[in-house]
Amino acid sequence: MASQEPIIAPQEPRITSQEPKTMSEEPKTASQESKLASEEFNLTSQEPKMISQVSKSASQEPNTPSQEPETTASSNLPSKYSDRVVMKTILEPSDGRGRLAGDRVVVGGWVKSSKQGNKEAAVPEPQKQTTEASNVSPRHKDVSCVEIFQTRIPIFRSIAKIFGGGGSSHPVREKLEPAIPGPPPPSVAYLLVSDGSCVASLKVVVDASIAPLSQLLPIGTCLLVEGVLEKPSMQELHSIELKAERILHIGTVGQDQYPLSKKRLPFETLRECSHFRPRTTTVASVTRIRSALTFATHTFFHDKGFLDVHVPIITTTDGEGVSEKFQVTTVFGKDGRQKDSGGVTLEVIKDAVIQKSNLVEELKRSESNREALDSAIMDLRKTNQLASQLEAKEKRTNQLRTFFYGDFFSQQTYLSVSGLLHLESYACALGNVFSIGPRFRADRKESAERVAEMWMVEVQMAFSQLEDAMNCADEYFKFLCKWVVEKCSEDMNFMSKRVDKSRSSRLASMVSSSIEKISYMEALEKVADIFGIKQEWGIALTPEHLRYAQCDVSYAYIHDQISGKMGREALFPNAGSYYMLMDDSYLAEAVYNNPVIIYNYPKEHKPFYVRLNDDGKTAAAFDLVVPKTGTIISGSQSEERIEMLDARIEELHLPREQYDWYLDLRKHGTVEHSGFSLGFDLMVLFTTGLPDVRDVIPFPRSYLKANN
């Protein structure tokens, strides 16, 4: 049983430590040795026991009692599904690496860096050297005949030179003359190997007698190695290394085509080879942090009693009413052109109009058949009407359609922009629900905070109002920050060194911070005073950082100006030329230096389904804004009154037939409910401190870029 592995595994050090005692024991008889070999067939004589063998014995003998107390050594067990030991169990924590010396393990990973050299001379241990010096006299030291002969070689050479003369007919002399020794060929490879389980890499020492060094050295080479963990003979950065005894697998690399190297590559270059960039230390850390945030999300909501609901990716409903959507269809051929499905297209109708117009003209010139002319004119009129209808449909759908004849679905379908509407139907039956999944927007604008496909965490809660949703979002956000600080300390330390020095401390401060809640009007007043703009109702609070494209100034310079240390005209000589009128992330970073929740937005800024407040101007919605990143959570209380929802759909000229099923929830058992959505990719962006969301998404999709 797996649960008993930690109890048996700690016996391994005890077996290893008995080896010196075994060396000093009296020799056993042949029968005793045979019996011992049959009982302990899985042990190699005088060799440390493999960690994988401990694991297998634990699973085969679940009832074996342990005489040893439980220790942390059990964390070094191999994977349940292979004999490979995950490097994280060897390299973390750093204070426990020394006790692993002597363990035999199998590790696998990819070479991060390499070098080759010669074997280091064996340096005897100080204690052993002292003992030998005290017990053995130099003159009584055992010396072989070969060693004596080697010490006499210089004398023999001198004698040979004297009696050999200067003749050139003595080939023996040439043999006796020693050639100038060249540098010895490299005999060992020093590899830093990573399996992606942690930031650190394991130093692997491979002798040339085990495998060709030329195959091992290229960066990116995949290795599966069996060996013994040892402490380095010299004081160095790595506190433990693996001395390879067998190479079980070599995945070679084509060095000319492989894009990664020792040099650090810019993120823009790595995006072009997104299938290889997980092998870089930075992207690997981002991936582990992303995985931790996913697990934390499920942990938080499951502990709070929420149910996980999978909402559809393909939908007939525009989740926000006015968003750019990806349309789903199967009526396009491989060349991107529409298949001929047998329906009546606009091109066919236009051709028919031309032909019938020509026929009418011919009949008018002949004046031979008045009835045929009237019939042709009537037919032309009907064809023109049909053409007008098709043109109107083309304009409305912005795409030539054949009335969906031959398409997979019987009506227009899209990739989901938001799953909140579908999630409401389950909240109105099961209470509190959440969902995690990809959402899609056909937005062609280049942005560091948005791409075409982004993952969202969406939440809906029945019998709750706006305040409840804000409190849940507050608690959830802090839970994620705390989880990463506690569970991903090594990765966060690396991101702080490599990307943003203040990232770890900023994330820790989020946990204990108090999130300020201000209304839209309060936020408008603060920003209007700073930038000298009018407090006009309806001005949007932009989600991006302040960007002043006309001047090259630092953030500190802007902050000084905002703080009143210099006049507005000094920074903005042409006030009408700066692009961003207002900035909500400025409020979080410069004013409060903490996350901020802004609520009660103008209804024009929020989707149709958000509940209207009593003033008729504002909507019960909020945004949670964090420093550096901007809006990371958006939420609202949904409109439960069917007449108000109907009015909003009509006001925004939305196709009502798309929302019939959604309106049914208000007709039958309506209830107050609220929820929010967290931009999961933006949360990873905020956590890691990277500047572009495309660098925290495994395979980013943006305008004109979908390479794999």
Side-chain angles (χ1 to χ4, degrees):
M1 291 173 56
S3 61
Q4 293 178 336
E5 290 178 5
I7 300 178
I8 299 177
Q11 295 178 0
E12 179 198 340
R14 180 168 55 86
I15 295 174
T16 305
S17 63
Q18 290 176 351
E19 290 178 8
K21 184 177 180 180
T22 305
M23 295 290 293
S24 63
E25 289 178 354
E26 304 232 352
K28 296 181 176 64
T29 65
S31 60
Q32 290 174 331
E33 291 180 352
S34 174
K35 182 179 179 181
L36 180 63
S38 63
E39 292 177 351
E40 299 181 350
F41 63 93
N42 61 333
L43 288 178
T44 304
S45 177
Q46 307 305 326
E47 287 186 355
K49 189 173 181 181
M50 287 185 64
I51 292 179
S52 59
Q53 292 173 340
V54 178
S55 174
K56 290 178 180 177
S57 65
S59 60
Q60 293 171 359
E61 301 179 5
N63 298 323
T64 304
S66 174
Q67 304 299 327
E68 300 288 338
E70 291 191 22
T71 66
T72 56
S74 61
S75 63
N76 301 300
L77 294 175
S79 168
K80 180 180 179 181
Y81 306 107
S82 74
D83 289 337
R84 181 180 68 91
V85 176
V86 179
M87 290 184 185
K88 181 177 182 179
T89 63
I90 299 173
L91 301 173
E92 294 182 5
S94 58
D95 57 356
R97 296 174 187 170
R99 61 177 171 75
L100 301 178
D103 288 347
R104 181 184 299 279
V105 296
V106 174
V107 299
W110 291 263
V111 175
K112 300 295 287 290
S113 66
S114 61
K115 67 177 181 179
Q116 55 185 343
N118 298 315
K119 293 182 181 178
E120 298 176 358
V123 180
E125 297 181 5
Q127 292 181 352
K128 185 176 181 181
Q129 191 176 24
T130 304
T131 304
E132 290 179 353
S134 61
N135 295 333
V136 181
S137 174
R139 60 182 177 177
H140 294 99
K141 183 178 179 181
D142 294 335
V143 182
S144 65
C145 294
V146 175
E147 291 174 335
I148 295 174
F149 180 76
Q150 288 176 346
T151 60
R152 301 296 187 266
I153 286 178
I155 300 175
F156 295 152
R157 285 177 178 171
S158 300
I159 296 173
K161 288 180 181 179
I162 294 172
F163 291 98
S168 60
S169 61
H170 301 281
V172 177
R173 181 183 177 189
E174 295 181 1
K175 293 181 180 179
L176 291 175
E177 289 291 341
I180 299 176
S187 59
V188 65
Y190 302 96
L191 312 174
L192 286 183
V193 180
S194 171
D195 65 355
S197 62
C198 60
V199 176
S201 299
L202 178 65
K203 181 181 177 182
V204 179
V205 182
V206 185
D207 192 272
S209 62
I210 298 177
L213 300 187
S214 60
Q215 295 183 7
L216 309 179
L217 295 173
I219 293 176
T221 301
C222 181
L223 298 177
L224 186 64
V225 185
E226 179 184 337
V228 178
L229 295 172
E230 296 179 349
K231 290 184 178 180
S233 57
M234 301 177 63
Q235 188 69 25
E236 56 179 83
L237 178 64
H238 301 275
S239 59
I240 195 166
E241 64 185 24
L242 178 71
K243 184 175 182 180
E245 295 185 348
R246 283 200 304 161
I247 303 296
L248 306 178
H249 169 77
I250 301 177
T252 58
V253 167
Q255 299 184 55
D256 296 337
Q257 293 83 25
Y258 191 62
L260 304 183
S261 63
K262 289 184 179 180
K263 294 175 62 178
R264 240 188 250 179
L265 296 177
F267 286 110
E268 293 79 5
T269 303
L270 290 175
R271 291 175 203 147
E272 301 300 323
C273 53
S274 55
H275 52 300
F276 281 129
R277 66 177 185 171
R279 298 185 186 182
T280 64
T281 308
T282 302
V283 176
S285 287
V286 171
T287 304
R288 289 188 292 268
I289 292 172
R290 185 184 182 97
S291 177
L293 288 171
T294 302
F295 188 78
T297 295
H298 284 278
T299 301
F300 176 83
F301 288 112
H302 286 165
D303 290 348
K304 302 296 181 183
F306 285 70
L307 297 179
D308 186 1
V309 177
H310 297 170
V311 298
I313 291 178
I314 299 177
T315 177
T316 61
T317 306
D318 184 350
E320 295 187 356
V322 292
S323 56
E324 294 290 336
K325 305 175 293 297
F326 286 100
Q327 187 166 336
V328 178
T329 182
T330 61
V331 297
F332 288 93
K334 294 182 179 179
D335 60 354
R337 296 181 180 180
Q338 205 169 12
K339 290 182 180 179
D340 183 9
S341 58
V344 181
T345 64
L346 182 60
E347 285 81 1
V348 174
I349 298 300
K350 287 182 177 181
D351 290 341
V353 169
I354 295 174
Q355 294 175 4
K356 292 179 181 182
S357 297
N358 294 335
L359 178 60
V360 169
E361 292 298 326
E362 290 179 4
L363 291 175
K364 285 182 178 180
R365 286 194 296 269
S366 64
E367 296 182 355
S368 60
N369 191 340
R370 185 66 184 177
E371 292 181 1
L373 177 60
D374 293 340
S375 177
I377 293 174
M378 182 64 68
D379 191 19
L380 177 60
R381 186 178 296 116
K382 291 180 179 179
T383 305
N384 281 327
Q385 290 177 354
L386 181 59
S388 299
Q389 293 174 1
L390 289 178
E391 285 179 342
K393 187 172 185 65
E394 180 189 29
K395 185 177 181 180
R396 184 171 63 252
T397 61
N398 198 26
Q399 194 175 44
L400 285 177
R401 303 293 294 168
T402 60
F403 297 100
F404 302 98
Y405 294 158
D407 207 346
F408 191 87
F409 297 106
S410 61
Q411 53 187 317
Q412 285 181 323
T413 52
Y414 314 95
L415 296 181
S416 178
V417 174
S418 171
L420 285 172
L421 301 190
H422 293 89
L423 208 56
E424 281 188 40
S425 62
Y426 274 75
C428 293
L430 303 175
N432 297 341
V433 293
F434 77 103
S435 180
I436 305 178
R439 305 294 177 254
F440 306 87
R441 291 178 184 269
D443 191 352
R444 302 191 180 193
K445 298 177 182 178
E446 289 286 339
S447 172
E449 290 85 19
R450 184 166 298 281
V451 291
E453 177 185 355
M454 298 189 70
W455 280 66
M456 306 293 291
V457 179
E458 295 165 329
V459 180
Q460 287 286 1
M461 301 176 291
F463 307 99
S464 66
Q465 298 179 348
L466 180 66
E467 188 70 22
D468 302 311
M470 289 193 290
N471 292 337
C472 182
D474 181 349
E475 190 173 350
Y476 170 48
F477 171 73
K478 292 180 179 178
F479 183 87
L480 293 181
C481 295
K482 183 178 180 181
W483 186 279
V484 172
V485 169
E486 294 179 351
K487 308 292 184 181
C488 306
S489 57
E490 292 291 331
D491 288 304
M492 287 306 303
N493 289 338
F494 172 78
M495 297 305 295
S496 296
K497 294 176 182 177
R498 181 65 60 87
V499 180
D500 183 359
K501 294 181 180 179
S502 63
R503 185 52 43 180
S504 293
S505 58
R506 179 184 291 273
L507 205 61
S509 68
M510 297 293 105
V511 180
S512 58
S513 65
S514 175
I515 296 183
E516 191 76 20
K517 296 178 182 178
I518 60 174
S519 68
Y520 165 83
M521 281 303 301
E522 291 174 318
L524 179 62
E525 291 173 1
K526 290 182 180 295
V527 181
D529 291 340
I530 292 167
F531 292 101
I533 62 175
K534 295 181 180 180
Q535 297 183 26
E536 296 180 358
W537 177 261
I539 292 179
L541 296 172
T542 62
E544 297 177 308
H545 294 288
L546 181 63
R547 291 187 180 95
Y548 180 58
Q550 306 300 324
C551 295
D552 183 14
V553 294
S554 66
Y555 180 83
Y557 191 76
I558 297 174
H559 185 274
D560 289 342
Q561 186 274 332
I562 289 172
S563 302
K565 294 183 180 180
M566 58 186 67
R568 173 172 176 268
E569 292 76 10
L571 183 60
F572 301 117
N574 184 8
S577 65
Y578 63 91
Y579 295 137
M580 298 300 178
L581 295 180
M582 302 180 64
D583 183 74
D584 52 2
S585 61
Y586 159 75
L587 293 172
E589 185 164 354
V591 176
Y592 297 102
N593 197 28
N594 272 321
V596 178
I597 287 181
I598 304 172
Y599 62 93
N600 285 351
Y601 279 86
K603 65 179 183 179
E604 293 81 10
H605 296 169
K606 295 299 175 181
F608 71 96
Y609 57 81
V610 178
R611 194 182 198 278
L612 288 181
N613 291 325
D614 295 338
D615 58 12
K617 297 171 57 180
T618 60
F622 74 93
D623 289 337
L624 191 152
V625 186
V626 297
K628 296 290 186 183
T629 303
T631 301
I632 203 169
I633 296 179
S634 292
S636 66
Q637 180 177 343
S638 298
E639 183 61 79
E640 82 282 3
R641 300 164 294 185
I642 187 171
E643 65 279 359
M644 302 297 292
L645 192 58
D646 257 331
R648 285 288 287 161
I649 291 176
E650 184 177 353
E651 178 184 349
L652 297 174
H653 304 290
L654 302 178
R656 194 181 188 282
E657 62 275 8
Q658 284 191 13
Y659 305 100
D660 283 339
W661 68 270
Y662 185 66
L663 293 169
D664 284 344
L665 298 174
R666 275 68 182 170
K667 294 178 183 178
H668 311 290
T670 186
V671 64
E672 287 186 341
H673 54 284
S674 64
F676 60 86
S677 60
L678 173 136
F680 188 77
D681 300 312
L682 295 179
M683 184 66 200
V684 180
L685 192 71
F686 170 73
T687 303
T688 59
L690 290 170
D692 198 305
V693 73
R694 289 173 291 184
D695 300 322
V696 302
I697 299 175
F699 295 94
R701 304 297 189 229
S702 56
Y703 181 55
L704 298 179
K705 294 179 181 178
N707 299 328
N708 46 24

